[in-house]
Amino acid sequence: IKVNVSPSNAQISIDGSPKGVSPFSENIEQGEHVISATAPGYEKFEQKVVVERTKDCVINVALNVIPAVISIKTEPEGAAIFIGDEQVGSSPISVPGLQPGIYQIRAEKHGYDIASKKVQLGPGAKVDLVITLDTNMGGIDLVANPPGVTVYLDGKKVGKMEEGERGNKKLSKVFQIRGLTSGDHSVKVSHARAVPQDKTINVVVEKGKISRPAQINMWIADSVVKFKNGKEVTGRIVENDASGILFEPEPGIAIRYKANEISGITHLGVDE
């Protein structure tokens, strides 16, 4: 009897007794016999044969491959998984039924760099693959004096800067903007009582970093002063004591008024 198997070096058994590896050849008693062939990653082959006296019995076998399975996880989860150019789902995912070969595995997720790995799968292989994604996003931290200004990022309103800790009316809380792509971003702060009403700065965001531009200072009217002569002026109080006030009706102009000239002061809130 002669047994040729693909792949070669498969284990050959006759009637349940191990005989060696393929290609295999041995004189055998005539009659019915059970021939089996096994190899890692392949389905077992088994067949009954009748061996006749003085005749060679030749068996040619191609073992069926057991498909490979690859389990893919990403950090973080939820990335789109591609095998070659085909999207197979989102991580974590198990992909069965793969034939032996070399595969390019790619993971894509918004806010992260594309990551890929090359994997070689043998017959019947079970492979666990972990792909770590690097964030390509950054952020911006803003502080303004005074608070109450509205913030726009690249032309879109993103919020308002609140008063600082313990009611600090001169400095805002840190205003955080996250999930930004790397590159140049336009930040505009605006307030109806500001002069000028808007201020725009350019901020460069780097991958995986938080950009912290210098404190944004704006001139914003915070009070309405009423005088005994009936006049009312809106502006910003720089100093205020028992003797009077130092008052700015507009940026760069400061006028000192005595207390006996003033009939009342209305303080404006930080909000517009």
Coordinates of all heavy atoms in Angstrom, one line a residue, residues 92-171:
P92 N -14.7 44.9 19.7 CA -14.0 43.6 19.6 C -14.8 42.7 18.6 O -16.0 42.8 18.6 CB -14.0 43.0 21.0 CG -15.1 43.6 21.6 CD -15.3 45.0 21.1
I93 N -14.1 41.9 17.8 CA -14.7 41.0 16.8 C -13.9 39.8 16.6 O -12.7 39.8 16.8 CB -14.9 41.8 15.5 CG1 -15.7 41.0 14.5 CG2 -13.5 42.1 14.9 CD1 -16.1 41.8 13.3
S94 N -14.6 38.7 16.3 CA -14.0 37.4 16.0 C -14.3 37.1 14.6 O -15.5 37.1 14.2 CB -14.5 36.3 16.9 OG -13.8 35.1 16.6
V95 N -13.3 36.8 13.8 CA -13.5 36.6 12.3 C -13.1 35.1 12.0 O -11.9 34.8 12.0 CB -12.7 37.5 11.4 CG1 -13.0 37.3 10.0 CG2 -13.0 39.0 11.8
P96 N -14.1 34.2 11.8 CA -13.8 32.8 11.5 C -13.6 32.6 10.0 O -13.8 33.5 9.2 CB -15.0 32.1 12.0 CG -16.1 33.1 11.8 CD -15.6 34.4 11.9
G97 N -13.3 31.4 9.6 CA -13.4 31.0 8.2 C -12.3 31.5 7.3 O -12.5 31.7 6.1
L98 N -11.1 31.8 7.9 CA -10.0 32.4 7.1 C -9.1 31.3 6.6 O -8.7 30.4 7.4 CB -9.3 33.4 7.9 CG -10.1 34.6 8.4 CD1 -9.2 35.5 9.3 CD2 -10.6 35.4 7.2
Q99 N -8.8 31.3 5.4 CA -7.8 30.4 4.8 C -6.4 30.8 5.2 O -6.1 31.9 5.5 CB -7.9 30.3 3.3 CG -9.3 29.8 2.8 CD -9.5 28.3 3.3 OE1 -8.7 27.5 3.1 NE2 -10.6 28.1 3.9
P100 N -5.5 29.8 5.2 CA -4.1 30.1 5.6 C -3.5 31.2 4.6 O -3.8 31.3 3.4 CB -3.3 28.8 5.4 CG -4.4 27.8 5.5 CD -5.6 28.4 5.0
G101 N -2.7 32.1 5.2 CA -2.1 33.1 4.4 C -1.7 34.3 5.2 O -1.8 34.3 6.5
I102 N -1.3 35.4 4.6 CA -0.9 36.6 5.2 C -2.0 37.6 5.0 O -2.4 37.9 3.9 CB 0.5 37.1 4.7 CG1 1.6 36.1 4.9 CG2 0.8 38.5 5.3 CD1 2.9 36.5 4.3
Y103 N -2.4 38.2 6.2 CA -3.5 39.2 6.1 C -3.1 40.5 6.7 O -2.3 40.6 7.7 CB -4.7 38.7 6.9 CG -5.4 37.5 6.3 CD1 -4.9 36.2 6.6 CD2 -6.5 37.6 5.5 CE1 -5.5 35.1 6.0 CE2 -7.1 36.5 4.9 CZ -6.6 35.2 5.2 OH -7.2 34.1 4.6
Q104 N -3.5 41.6 6.1 CA -3.3 43.0 6.6 C -4.5 43.4 7.3 O -5.6 43.5 6.8 CB -3.0 43.9 5.4 CG -2.5 45.3 5.9 CD -1.1 45.3 6.3 OE1 -0.3 44.5 5.8 NE2 -0.7 46.1 7.3
I105 N -4.4 43.6 8.7 CA -5.5 44.0 9.5 C -5.4 45.5 9.8 O -4.3 45.9 10.2 CB -5.5 43.2 10.8 CG1 -5.3 41.7 10.6 CG2 -6.8 43.5 11.6 CD1 -6.4 41.1 9.8
R106 N -6.5 46.2 9.6 CA -6.5 47.7 9.8 C -7.6 48.1 10.7 O -8.7 47.6 10.6 CB -6.6 48.4 8.4 CG -6.4 49.9 8.5 CD -6.3 50.5 7.1 NE -7.6 50.7 6.5 CZ -8.2 50.0 5.5 NH1 -7.5 49.0 5.0 NH2 -9.4 50.3 5.1
A107 N -7.3 49.0 11.6 CA -8.3 49.6 12.5 C -8.4 51.1 12.3 O -7.4 51.8 12.3 CB -7.9 49.2 14.0
E108 N -9.6 51.6 12.2 CA -9.9 53.0 12.1 C -10.9 53.5 13.1 O -12.0 52.8 13.2 CB -10.4 53.3 10.6 CG -9.4 52.9 9.5 CD -9.9 53.3 8.1 OE1 -11.0 53.9 8.1 OE2 -9.2 52.9 7.2
K109 N -10.7 54.6 13.7 CA -11.6 55.2 14.6 C -11.4 56.7 14.6 O -10.3 57.2 14.6 CB -11.4 54.7 16.0 CG -12.4 55.1 17.1 CD -12.2 54.5 18.4 CE -13.1 55.0 19.5 NZ -14.5 54.6 19.2
H110 N -12.5 57.5 14.6 CA -12.4 58.9 14.5 C -11.7 59.4 15.8 O -12.0 59.0 16.9 CB -13.9 59.5 14.5 CG -13.9 61.0 14.5 ND1 -13.4 61.8 13.5 CD2 -14.2 61.9 15.5 CE1 -13.5 63.1 13.8 NE2 -14.0 63.2 15.0
G111 N -10.8 60.3 15.5 CA -10.0 60.9 16.6 C -8.7 60.1 16.9 O -8.0 60.5 17.8
Y112 N -8.4 59.1 16.1 CA -7.2 58.3 16.3 C -6.5 58.0 15.0 O -7.2 58.0 13.9 CB -7.6 56.9 17.0 CG -8.1 57.1 18.4 CD1 -9.5 57.4 18.6 CD2 -7.3 57.0 19.5 CE1 -10.0 57.5 19.8 CE2 -7.8 57.1 20.7 CZ -9.2 57.4 20.9 OH -9.7 57.6 22.2
D113 N -5.2 57.8 15.0 CA -4.5 57.5 13.8 C -4.9 56.1 13.4 O -5.2 55.2 14.2 CB -3.0 57.5 14.1 CG -2.4 58.9 14.3 OD1 -3.1 59.8 13.7 OD2 -1.4 59.1 14.9
I114 N -4.9 55.8 12.1 CA -5.1 54.5 11.5 C -3.9 53.6 12.0 O -2.8 54.0 11.9 CB -5.2 54.6 10.0 CG1 -6.5 55.4 9.6 CG2 -5.3 53.1 9.4 CD1 -6.6 55.6 8.1
A115 N -4.3 52.4 12.4 CA -3.3 51.4 12.8 C -3.5 50.1 12.0 O -4.6 49.7 11.8 CB -3.3 51.2 14.3
S116 N -2.4 49.5 11.7 CA -2.5 48.2 11.0 C -1.4 47.3 11.4 O -0.3 47.7 11.9 CB -2.4 48.5 9.4 OG -1.2 49.0 9.1
K117 N -1.7 46.0 11.3 CA -0.8 44.9 11.6 C -0.9 43.8 10.5 O -2.0 43.5 10.0 CB -1.0 44.3 13.0 CG -0.6 45.2 14.1 CD -0.7 44.5 15.4 CE -0.2 45.4 16.6 NZ -0.2 44.6 17.9
K118 N 0.2 43.2 10.2 CA 0.3 42.1 9.3 C 0.3 40.8 10.1 O 1.1 40.6 11.0 CB 1.5 42.2 8.4 CG 1.5 41.2 7.2 CD 2.7 41.4 6.3 CE 2.5 42.7 5.5 NZ 3.6 42.9 4.5
V119 N -0.6 39.9 9.7 CA -0.7 38.6 10.5 C -0.6 37.4 9.5 O -1.3 37.4 8.5 CB -2.0 38.5 11.3 CG1 -2.1 37.2 12.0 CG2 -2.1 39.7 12.2
Q120 N 0.2 36.4 9.9 CA 0.3 35.2 9.1 C -0.5 34.1 9.8 O -0.3 33.8 11.0 CB 1.7 34.8 8.9 CG 1.8 33.5 8.0 CD 3.2 33.3 7.5 OE1 4.1 34.0 7.9 NE2 3.4 32.2 6.7
L121 N -1.5 33.6 9.1 CA -2.4 32.6 9.7 C -2.1 31.2 9.0 O -2.1 31.1 7.8 CB -3.9 32.9 9.4 CG -4.4 34.2 10.0 CD1 -5.8 34.5 9.7 CD2 -4.2 34.3 11.5
G122 N -1.9 30.2 9.9 CA -1.7 28.9 9.5 C -3.0 28.1 9.5 O -4.0 28.6 10.0
P123 N -3.0 26.9 9.0 CA -4.2 26.1 9.0 C -4.7 25.9 10.4 O -4.0 25.5 11.3 CB -3.8 24.8 8.4 CG -2.6 25.1 7.6 CD -1.9 26.2 8.3
G124 N -6.0 26.2 10.6 CA -6.6 25.9 11.9 C -6.2 26.9 13.0 O -6.5 26.6 14.2
A125 N -5.4 27.9 12.7 CA -4.9 28.8 13.7 C -6.0 29.6 14.4 O -7.0 29.9 13.9 CB -3.9 29.8 13.1
K126 N -5.8 29.8 15.7 CA -6.6 30.7 16.5 C -5.8 31.8 17.1 O -4.9 31.5 18.0 CB -7.3 29.9 17.6 CG -8.3 28.9 17.1 CD -9.0 28.1 18.2 CE -10.0 27.1 17.6 NZ -10.7 26.4 18.7
V127 N -5.9 33.0 16.5 CA -5.0 34.1 16.9 C -5.8 35.2 17.6 O -6.9 35.6 17.1 CB -4.4 34.7 15.6 CG1 -3.5 35.9 15.9 CG2 -3.5 33.6 14.9
D128 N -5.2 35.7 18.7 CA -5.8 36.9 19.4 C -4.9 38.1 19.1 O -3.7 38.0 19.3 CB -5.8 36.6 20.9 CG -6.8 35.5 21.3 OD1 -7.9 35.5 20.6 OD2 -6.5 34.8 22.2
L129 N -5.5 39.1 18.5 CA -4.7 40.3 18.1 C -5.3 41.5 18.8 O -6.5 41.7 18.9 CB -4.9 40.5 16.6 CG -4.2 41.7 16.0 CD1 -2.6 41.5 16.1 CD2 -4.5 41.9 14.5
V130 N -4.4 42.3 19.4 CA -4.7 43.5 20.1 C -4.0 44.7 19.4 O -2.8 44.7 19.2 CB -4.3 43.5 21.6 CG1 -4.6 44.9 22.2 CG2 -5.0 42.4 22.3
I131 N -4.8 45.7 19.0 CA -4.3 46.9 18.3 C -4.5 48.1 19.1 O -5.7 48.4 19.5 CB -4.9 47.0 16.9 CG1 -4.7 45.8 16.0 CG2 -4.4 48.3 16.2 CD1 -5.4 45.9 14.6
T132 N -3.5 48.8 19.5 CA -3.6 50.0 20.2 C -3.6 51.2 19.3 O -2.7 51.4 18.5 CB -2.4 50.1 21.3 OG1 -2.5 49.0 22.1 CG2 -2.6 51.4 22.1
L133 N -4.6 52.1 19.5 CA -4.7 53.2 18.6 C -4.2 54.5 19.3 O -4.4 54.6 20.5 CB -6.2 53.5 18.2 CG -6.9 52.3 17.5 CD1 -8.3 52.6 17.3 CD2 -6.2 52.0 16.2
D134 N -3.5 55.3 18.6 CA -3.0 56.6 19.2 C -3.9 57.7 18.8 O -4.2 57.9 17.6 CB -1.5 56.9 18.7 CG -0.5 55.9 19.2 OD1 -0.7 55.4 20.3 OD2 0.4 55.5 18.4
T135 N -4.3 58.5 19.8 CA -5.2 59.6 19.5 C -4.5 60.6 18.6 O -3.3 60.9 18.8 CB -5.7 60.3 20.8 OG1 -6.6 61.4 20.4 CG2 -4.6 60.8 21.6
N136 N -5.2 61.2 17.7 CA -4.6 62.3 16.9 C -5.3 63.6 17.2 O -5.2 64.6 16.5 CB -4.7 62.0 15.4 CG -6.2 61.8 14.9 OD1 -7.1 62.1 15.6 ND2 -6.3 61.3 13.7
M137 N -6.0 63.6 18.3 CA -6.8 64.8 18.7 C -6.0 65.6 19.8 O -5.2 65.1 20.5 CB -8.2 64.4 19.3 CG -9.1 63.8 18.3 SD -9.5 65.0 17.0 CE -11.0 64.2 16.3
G138 N -6.4 66.8 19.9 CA -5.8 67.7 21.0 C -6.9 68.6 21.6 O -8.1 68.3 21.3
G139 N -6.6 69.6 22.3 CA -7.6 70.4 22.9 C -7.0 71.8 23.2 O -5.8 72.1 23.0
I140 N -7.9 72.7 23.7 CA -7.6 74.1 24.0 C -8.2 74.4 25.4 O -9.3 74.1 25.7 CB -8.1 75.1 23.0 CG1 -7.5 74.8 21.6 CG2 -7.8 76.5 23.4 CD1 -8.1 75.6 20.5
D141 N -7.4 75.0 26.2 CA -7.8 75.6 27.5 C -7.7 77.1 27.4 O -6.7 77.7 27.1 CB -6.9 75.1 28.7 CG -7.3 73.7 29.1 OD1 -8.3 73.2 28.6 OD2 -6.6 73.1 30.0
L142 N -8.9 77.8 27.7 CA -8.9 79.2 27.6 C -9.3 79.8 29.0 O -10.0 79.3 29.8 CB -10.0 79.7 26.6 CG -9.9 79.2 25.2 CD1 -11.1 79.5 24.4 CD2 -8.6 79.8 24.5
V143 N -8.7 81.0 29.3 CA -9.0 81.8 30.4 C -9.2 83.3 29.9 O -8.4 83.8 29.1 CB -7.9 81.8 31.5 CG1 -8.3 82.7 32.6 CG2 -7.8 80.3 32.0
A144 N -10.3 83.9 30.4 CA -10.5 85.3 30.0 C -10.7 86.2 31.2 O -11.2 85.8 32.2 CB -11.8 85.3 29.1
N145 N -10.4 87.5 30.9 CA -10.6 88.6 31.9 C -11.3 89.7 31.2 O -10.8 90.3 30.2 CB -9.3 89.1 32.5 CG -9.5 90.3 33.4 OD1 -10.5 90.5 33.9 ND2 -8.4 91.1 33.5
P146 N -12.6 89.9 31.5 CA -13.4 89.3 32.6 C -14.1 88.1 32.0 O -14.1 87.8 30.8 CB -14.3 90.4 33.0 CG -14.6 91.1 31.7 CD -13.3 91.1 31.0
P147 N -14.8 87.3 32.9 CA -15.7 86.2 32.4 C -16.9 86.8 31.7 O -17.1 88.0 31.5 CB -16.0 85.4 33.6 CG -15.9 86.4 34.7 CD -14.9 87.4 34.3
G148 N -17.8 85.8 31.2 CA -19.0 86.2 30.6 C -19.0 86.3 29.1 O -20.0 86.5 28.4
V149 N -17.8 86.1 28.5 CA -17.7 86.2 27.0 C -18.1 84.9 26.4 O -18.0 83.8 26.9 CB -16.2 86.5 26.6 CG1 -15.8 87.9 27.1 CG2 -15.3 85.5 27.1
T150 N -18.7 85.0 25.2 CA -19.1 83.9 24.4 C -18.0 83.4 23.5 O -17.2 84.2 23.0 CB -20.3 84.3 23.5 OG1 -21.4 84.7 24.3 CG2 -20.8 83.0 22.7
V151 N -17.8 82.1 23.4 CA -16.6 81.5 22.7 C -17.1 80.9 21.4 O -18.1 80.1 21.4 CB -15.9 80.5 23.6 CG1 -14.7 79.9 22.9 CG2 -15.5 81.1 24.9
Y152 N -16.4 81.2 20.4 CA -16.7 80.6 19.1 C -15.4 79.9 18.6 O -14.3 80.4 18.7 CB -17.1 81.6 18.0 CG -18.4 82.4 18.4 CD1 -18.3 83.5 19.2 CD2 -19.6 82.0 17.8 CE1 -19.5 84.1 19.5 CE2 -20.7 82.7 18.1 CZ -20.7 83.7 19.0 OH -21.8 84.4 19.3
L153 N -15.6 78.7 18.1 CA -14.4 77.9 17.6 C -14.6 77.7 16.1 O -15.6 77.0 15.7 CB -14.3 76.6 18.3 CG -13.2 75.7 17.8 CD1 -11.8 76.2 18.2 CD2 -13.3 74.2 18.3
D154 N -13.7 78.2 15.3 CA -13.8 78.0 13.8 C -15.2 78.4 13.3 O -15.8 77.8 12.5 CB -13.5 76.6 13.4 CG -12.1 76.2 13.8 OD1 -11.2 77.0 13.8 OD2 -11.9 75.0 14.2
G155 N -15.7 79.5 13.9 CA -17.0 80.1 13.5 C -18.2 79.5 14.1 O -19.3 80.0 13.9
K156 N -18.1 78.5 15.0 CA -19.2 77.9 15.6 C -19.2 78.2 17.1 O -18.2 78.0 17.8 CB -19.2 76.4 15.4 CG -20.4 75.6 15.9 CD -20.2 74.1 15.6 CE -21.4 73.4 16.2 NZ -21.3 71.9 15.9
K157 N -20.4 78.6 17.6 CA -20.5 78.9 19.0 C -20.3 77.6 19.8 O -21.0 76.6 19.6 CB -21.9 79.5 19.3 CG -22.1 79.8 20.8 CD -23.5 80.5 21.0 CE -23.7 80.8 22.5 NZ -25.1 81.4 22.6
V158 N -19.5 77.6 20.9 CA -19.2 76.5 21.7 C -19.5 76.7 23.2 O -19.5 75.7 24.0 CB -17.7 76.0 21.5 CG1 -17.5 75.5 20.1 CG2 -16.8 77.1 21.9
G159 N -19.9 77.9 23.6 CA -20.2 78.1 25.0 C -19.9 79.5 25.5 O -19.5 80.4 24.7
K160 N -20.0 79.6 26.8 CA -19.8 80.9 27.5 C -18.8 80.7 28.7 O -19.0 79.7 29.4 CB -21.1 81.5 27.9 CG -20.9 82.9 28.5 CD -22.3 83.6 28.8 CE -23.0 83.9 27.5 NZ -24.2 84.7 27.7
M161 N -17.9 81.6 28.9 CA -17.0 81.5 29.9 C -17.6 82.0 31.2 O -18.0 83.1 31.3 CB -15.7 82.2 29.6 CG -15.1 81.7 28.3 SD -13.5 82.5 27.9 CE -12.4 81.6 29.0
E162 N -17.6 81.1 32.3 CA -18.2 81.4 33.5 C -17.3 82.1 34.5 O -16.1 82.2 34.3 CB -18.7 80.1 34.2 CG -19.7 79.3 33.3 CD -20.1 78.0 34.0 OE1 -19.5 77.7 35.0 OE2 -21.0 77.3 33.4
E163 N -17.9 82.7 35.5 CA -17.1 83.3 36.6 C -16.2 82.3 37.2 O -16.4 81.1 37.3 CB -18.0 83.9 37.7 CG -18.8 85.2 37.2 CD -19.6 85.8 38.3 OE1 -19.5 85.2 39.5 OE2 -20.2 86.8 38.1
G164 N -15.0 82.9 37.7 CA -14.1 82.0 38.3 C -14.5 81.4 39.7 O -15.7 81.7 40.1
E165 N -13.7 80.7 40.3 CA -14.0 80.1 41.6 C -14.3 81.1 42.6 O -13.8 82.2 42.6 CB -12.8 79.2 42.1 CG -12.4 78.1 41.1 CD -13.5 77.1 40.9 OE1 -14.3 76.9 41.8 OE2 -13.6 76.5 39.8
R166 N -15.3 80.8 43.4 CA -15.8 81.7 44.5 C -16.2 83.1 44.0 O -16.0 84.1 44.6 CB -14.7 81.9 45.6 CG -14.3 80.5 46.2 CD -13.2 80.8 47.3 NE -12.8 79.5 47.9 CZ -11.9 79.4 48.8 NH1 -11.2 80.4 49.2 NH2 -11.6 78.2 49.3
G167 N -16.9 83.0 42.8 CA -17.5 84.3 42.3 C -16.5 85.3 41.8 O -16.7 86.5 41.9
N168 N -15.3 84.8 41.4 CA -14.3 85.7 40.9 C -14.8 86.4 39.6 O -15.0 85.8 38.6 CB -13.0 84.9 40.6 CG -11.8 85.9 40.2 OD1 -12.0 87.0 39.8 ND2 -10.6 85.3 40.3
K169 N -15.1 87.7 39.7 CA -15.6 88.4 38.6 C -14.6 89.0 37.6 O -14.9 89.5 36.6 CB -16.5 89.5 39.1 CG -17.7 89.1 39.9 CD -18.6 90.2 40.3 CE -19.8 89.8 41.1 NZ -20.7 88.9 40.4
K170 N -13.3 88.8 38.0 CA -12.3 89.3 37.1 C -11.6 88.3 36.2 O -11.0 88.6 35.2 CB -11.2 90.0 38.0 CG -11.6 91.2 38.7 CD -10.5 91.9 39.4 CE -11.0 93.2 40.1 NZ -9.9 93.9 40.8
L171 N -11.8 87.0 36.6 CA -11.1 86.0 35.9 C -12.1 84.8 35.7 O -12.7 84.4 36.7 CB -9.9 85.5 36.6 CG -8.8 84.8 35.7 CD1 -8.3 85.7 34.6 CD2 -7.7 84.3 36.6

